[in-house]
Every structure is written in structure tokens, then in C-alpha cells.
Amino acid sequence: MLTLATRSVRQRPGRFAATLLSAFLGAAIIMTFNSMHDTAGAPGVDSVSAETLSTAAGVVGGYGTLLVFFAVASTLTVNVRQRSAEIELLRCSGATPAQLKRMVVGEAVAVALVGALLAIGPAMLGGRVLLDVFQDSGQVAGSVDYTFGPIALYSGLDITVLAAAGAAFLAVRRATGGRSRSRSRSESRSWGRGRRFLVLGSLVLGALSIGTTFVLSPTDAALMAPPAYGAILLSVGLALLSPGLLRALLGRLPLTGPSGYPAVRGLRVRVAELAGVMVPLTLFIGMATATLQMQGVENDAIHAAGVPKSVDAKNLETLNLTVVGIIVVFSCIMLINSLYAATTYRRKEFGQQRLAGATPGQVLGMVGIESLVLTVTGVVLGTGAALAGIVSFTTVRTDAVLPERGPGVWLGVVAVAVAVTMGTSLVTAWRVLRTPAINAVAPAA
């Protein structure tokens, strides 16, 4: 099966492009920031510079690890789902579930390793640029030389490969979940219990983290951490709840016509598969809105106090803006990968609709309505998670309830989310519709 996995990657590299891109960017980010650990541990680095570099590596490295797993998991899940017919054929030919797992995991590990190795060069350049940013802002001494060492290299390789192997194992486990109906139902109940545990754990820990904000003082250096982590956990919990919320919403949408009715019906059928879209969408809106708004509140409070920013305050601002940048890049990649793969996979469905009488414009309208429903749901869930963190931080820091800057940051974040979601879905659907309908429904050679 490992030989089959290697042959599959060589013969059809296009199917692994999304996973390769996710692994490449994830490894680049992890190695870029973990090279700050190597730089901080080099001889002759002063304690203040070493602390700044280590803090940046620790905070962003943790975010990066989670984002790499989510990005690779989302692309691999779609990849395995698209290969359901191939996997079923292998099972009918005598392959056991264990052999199929080794094949898919072997493919994922090979692709992730290639992506991580390709990321070494860009990570070295990115680390130098990041060190220059810290030095230009006065947070790191100008005499500190950049070092790319074993911490950066091995963390990037290990985390990317392990994330790919774990995500592939979980994806193929669901695809080869059992031959009998009773076993399938048992595994579905087990998966449902696992999802409920994750949802409950994320929401409870998020609420506790946000509640911790109120026991800190307004000038505490760690004041922003609890509401930020709380917003992240709430975003994850609400994103995992989104399939159930979408089901309830779809039952009340009065959409009819040649585009509206098939859009609602299609979402109902695929609602369990939409977590790959809702998780990055909700995370992006919740984390970006909360972090940027809270940083704005902090800047206004420091300005109102009439004191210069301390080194710690500058470090925190740099980290926050860097984290938001990573969130934007990775969330957009996850969204684009998931939407592109999911929409391309519907080529046969679109062809059947056109052969039944639907026009290309009606199919595009259906895709647009689906994307709009998903976007609105993600915006509502992400905004709710962000507000919980923003209100708690603003209340403690300024005695106000909401930031004074208004909804400008939120509108900007929502605009990016709408552009990515709607743009990717519609452009991909338009490209798919360029294939003649009779060719779209024909079996692949």
C-alpha cells in the first residue's frame, strides 16, 4: 500500500495540490517564527532581545501549529471524500481498511514532507525579515544576527508531517468506517459524541477564559490574553455547532425558484460536510475582529494616559498584528482550498442540472445563494465570539462596554470574508460550467 501511495502521488499530483500548498505555507510559518528561538539562543544575545524573540516564537508558533492542522485536515478531508469511489473499488478488490489507511496516510506524509522541505528557503528569508521588523521597532538590538537552526528545521518538519498523518488518519477512518449498517450507526454515534464533547469543551473553556478577564487589573500586562483566547475557543465551538444551526436556519428560509430551491436543498444534503468551510470562516471573523478591536482599545487607552509605549506594549502589538496576519493568510487558504475542491467536486451535479433544463445562470445563482447563506452564518457566529472577548476587555480596560472606534474594523473583516467566500465559489463554479454538460456527467476515463 505504501508503494501504491507513492505511485498515486507521482501519477496524479494535481489532486494533492491543495494539501501541498497548505503544508508548504504552514511549514514556512512555523519555521519562520521558531527560527526566533534559534536566534534568541545564539551566543551574545542580550536578555531583553532574547525574551522578545522567544515570546514571538512561542505565541505564534502555538497558533501556527493549530492552523496547520486545521488547514491540512480540511484539504485532506475533501480529498478523501472525492475519492470515495476509488476507495470503495479498492475495498471490493480485497484491500482491508488498515491497508487503505496506510495508503492514504502514506500519501499525506509524502506530500507534507515535500511541502515542508520546499518551505525551508522561504522560511529563512521570512525569518530575516521578521528579525529586521523587531530591530527597526527597537525591540531587538541591532547587533543580533539571524540564526536558522535545528529548532526551526525540526519543528517545521515534525509538526507538518504529524499534522498531515493525523488528519489523513481521521479522514480515511471515516471513509472506511465499516461494512455493516449497525457498525456504521455505532461509529456515527461515536463521532457525534466526540463532536459534542469538543463543542462543549470549547464553549466552556472559552467562557471561563473570558470570565478570567474580570479578575485582572486594567493595567495588567496579560489583560488581553484571556479574552483573546476566549474568543478563539468560542469561535471553534460555534463553528462546530454550525451544521446544526444551519439545519435549523434552512428549515425557515423561504427561498424558491430555479436557484433558491436547489440551493436550500443542496445545503440540507451537504450540511454535515460544510464544517470545512464554516470552521475557517468563523475562526477568521472571530479572531481577526477580536484581536484588532482589542488592540485598538489598548492603543487608545495608552494614548489617553499620555505615556509612551513600553517595550512590552510594543511586543504585544507586534504579536497581535502578526497573529492577525497569519490568521488572514491561513483562513483564506483554508477557505479557498475547501471551496475550490468542494465546488469542483460538484461537476457531475451541475452537469445533471443543466441536462435537466437549468441554465448556467441559474446554476451560478444557486451557488451564489449557497455561498451567501454560509457567509451570513459564519459572520453571525464569528461576530458573537468576537463580541464576547471585546466587551470583556473593553469593560475592564476602559470602563466602557464597546470600543469607541465603531464598526470599521468589523466591516473590513467581513468584506474580506465575503470577497473570499463568494469570489472563490462563483469563479470556481463558472469555470466548472465551461465544461459541456454531457462531458461533465460522463464517467472519468
Side-chain angles (χ1 to χ4, degrees), residues 37-46 143-147:
H37 278 309
D38 293 309
T39 304
V45 179
D46 62 279
S143 59
V144 175
D145 293 326
Y146 176 69
T147 302

Side-chain angles (χ1 to χ4, degrees), residues 1-13 15-16 83 86 90 99-111:
M1 280 296 167
L2 292 177
T3 303
L4 183 59
T6 305
R7 183 181 304 169
S8 176
V9 174
R10 287 203 308 264
Q11 291 179 347
R12 298 181 181 179
R15 67 162 52 153
F16 301 101
R83 300 169 61 190
E86 175 189 340
L90 289 172
Q99 290 174 326
L100 293 173
K101 289 173 185 176
R102 286 198 296 271
M103 180 190 73
V104 175
V105 172
E107 293 172 351
V109 168
V111 173

Side-chain angles (χ1 to χ4, degrees), residues 331-381:
S331 298
C332 288
I333 292 170
M334 292 166 65
L335 271 175
I336 291 171
N337 281 347
S338 300
L339 288 169
Y340 177 82
T343 306
T344 303
Y345 183 57
R346 301 173 68 186
R347 183 188 306 272
K348 183 176 180 180
E349 173 192 340
F350 293 164
Q352 291 173 335
Q353 291 173 341
R354 292 163 64 190
L355 291 177
T359 66
Q362 290 171 340
V363 176
L364 280 177
M366 176 193 70
V367 174
I369 293 173
E370 292 175 352
S371 301
L372 182 61
V373 171
L374 293 177
T375 303
V376 171
T377 304
V379 167
V380 171
L381 297 180

Side-chain angles (χ1 to χ4, degrees), residues 172-423:
V172 74
R173 183 182 180 187
R174 296 190 66 190
T176 60
R179 299 178 183 274
S180 68
R181 179 174 299 180
S182 60
R183 180 176 174 182
S184 177
R185 289 177 178 174
S186 175
E187 293 189 354
S188 296
R189 288 195 296 269
S190 177
W191 173 252
R193 287 194 296 269
R195 177 181 288 272
R196 286 194 294 271
F197 176 79
L198 289 175
V199 170
L200 182 61
S202 299
L203 295 179
V204 170
L205 290 176
L208 290 174
S209 183
I210 288 176
T212 305
T213 309
F214 295 97
V215 303
L216 300 176
S217 65
T219 57
D220 198 309
L223 179 62
M224 198 180 298
Y229 281 114
I232 294 170
L233 291 169
L234 290 179
S235 296
V236 172
L238 292 175
L240 293 174
L241 271 178
S242 59
L245 298 176
L246 269 176
R247 289 191 186 95
L249 174 64
L250 293 172
R252 293 170 173 78
L253 284 179
L255 294 176
T256 57
S259 295
Y261 176 76
V264 173
R265 185 181 181 280
L267 286 173
R268 285 174 178 170
V269 172
R270 298 183 296 110
V271 68
E273 303 172 1
L274 295 175
V277 176
M278 295 306 302
V279 169
L281 179 60
T282 306
L283 276 173
F284 165 65
I285 294 172
M287 297 170 70
T289 302
T291 305
L292 290 175
Q293 287 280 27
M294 286 190 289
Q295 185 59 55
V297 171
E298 177 67 19
N299 291 342
D300 291 342
I302 294 175
H303 180 73
V307 296
K309 283 187 180 180
S310 63
V311 173
D312 290 338
K314 290 181 179 180
N315 289 345
L316 182 60
E317 183 176 10
T318 302
L319 285 176
N320 285 336
L321 296 178
T322 304
V323 167
V324 170
I326 292 175
I327 293 168
V328 169
V329 172
F330 248 88
S331 298
C332 288
I333 292 170
M334 292 166 65
L335 271 175
I336 291 171
N337 281 347
S338 300
L339 288 169
Y340 177 82
T343 306
T344 303
Y345 183 57
R346 301 173 68 186
R347 183 188 306 272
K348 183 176 180 180
E349 173 192 340
F350 293 164
Q352 291 173 335
Q353 291 173 341
R354 292 163 64 190
L355 291 177
T359 66
Q362 290 171 340
V363 176
L364 280 177
M366 176 193 70
V367 174
I369 293 173
E370 292 175 352
S371 301
L372 182 61
V373 171
L374 293 177
T375 303
V376 171
T377 304
V379 167
V380 171
L381 297 180
T383 302
L387 275 176
I390 293 169
V391 169
S392 61
F393 177 79
T394 306
T395 300
V396 175
R397 188 69 174 93
T398 67
D399 292 330
V401 177
L402 292 174
E404 297 179 356
R405 297 193 176 195
V409 170
W410 176 78
L411 290 174
V413 172
V414 171
V416 173
V418 171
V420 171
T421 305
M422 301 289 292

